[in-house]
Amino acid sequence: MPLANQPSCVMQRVSRYALFCAFFKIGICGFGGVTGWVRPILVDERGWLDDRELAEFLGASSVLPGANTVNLAVMFGDRHQGVVGAAIAVVGLLVGPLTVLIGIASLYDRFATLPEVKSALIGAASTTAGLVIGNAYKMVRAIRADGLALLVAGLTFASSAVFHFSLLTTLAILVPTSLVLFTLSARR
């Protein structure tokens, strides 16, 4: 699996300041979840990854314990600036939302039962779902020429959305299966 050491395109040098700013933007824009902002910022805006590399980072970060985007920040920051870069990316990702959260948490307790607040939260959740679906579509377009990658993506979707297997069951079956399939495919 080409990941940190074998990017599919020319790897740009990313400064510590740029790492912080990019992940700060991902964190501060991510109302309802930050995953939907990773692709627009790292792929479209900064050009640091292509869709295939992003899919590989997200795949690896999803099978590790912890929050996907935090895992991705660690791996991406480490790729460009070592351990310090990993720490900078994580701090950039979390400092904005934590600052906002601390301020809003006290207000939420007072106003959470208001119908307008409930409606706003439903709207935020819908927007997040749309962002995730849109990014998934763009990532599938990037791997559409690779039949094996499409097969694994389809099996993962079916396991989760059609058969309603738990995330743990899906990962326990499909991660080793895909590793074996891609290893065998690479040996041909």
Side-chain angles (χ1 to χ4, degrees):
M1 170 192 292
L3 187 61
N5 297 326
Q6 300 174 5
S8 64
C9 63
V10 177
M11 188 169 77
Q12 299 178 31
R13 176 114 174 113
V14 177
S15 71
R16 292 174 179 171
Y17 177 73
L19 262 177
F20 178 83
C21 290
F23 281 93
F24 179 83
K25 187 173 182 180
I26 291 169
I28 203 69
C29 290
F31 287 91
V34 296
T35 304
W37 287 95
V38 171
R39 189 191 174 284
I41 293 173
L42 296 184
V43 175
D44 295 336
E45 182 181 297
R46 309 277 172 143
W48 291 343
L49 296 172
D50 61 29
D51 281 317
R52 185 172 187 102
E53 289 174 310
L54 177 64
E56 292 169 356
F57 267 102
L58 284 174
S61 66
S62 296
V63 298
L64 297 171
N68 296 352
T69 309
V70 172
N71 295 341
L72 187 144
V74 168
M75 291 187 296
F76 189 82
D78 182 65
R79 175 183 185 180
H80 290 280
Q81 291 290 333
V83 174
V84 173
I88 288 171
V90 170
V91 169
L93 180 68
L94 297 178
V95 72
L98 286 176
T99 303
V100 171
L101 177 63
I102 290 168
I104 290 179
S106 61
L107 296 174
Y108 182 77
D109 285 340
R110 292 179 100 185
F111 302 108
T113 57
L114 294 176
E116 295 83 5
V117 173
K118 289 182 178 179
S119 295
L121 292 176
I122 292 170
S126 301
T127 302
T128 300
L131 282 172
V132 170
I133 292 168
N135 284 327
Y137 171 73
K138 290 176 182 175
M139 289 170 40
V140 167
R141 278 191 335 200
I143 63 170
R144 69 176 176 247
D146 187 337
L148 187 55
L150 281 177
L151 174 66
V152 171
L155 290 172
T156 304
F157 176 79
S159 176
S160 175
V162 177
F163 300 112
H164 302 284
F165 292 149
S166 71
L167 177 62
L168 189 58
T169 302
T170 299
L171 292 175
I173 295 170
L174 289 170
V175 168
T177 302
S178 67
L179 289 174
V180 169
L181 290 174
F182 279 95
T183 300
L184 293 175
S185 176
R187 289 184 180 168
R188 280 198 241 161

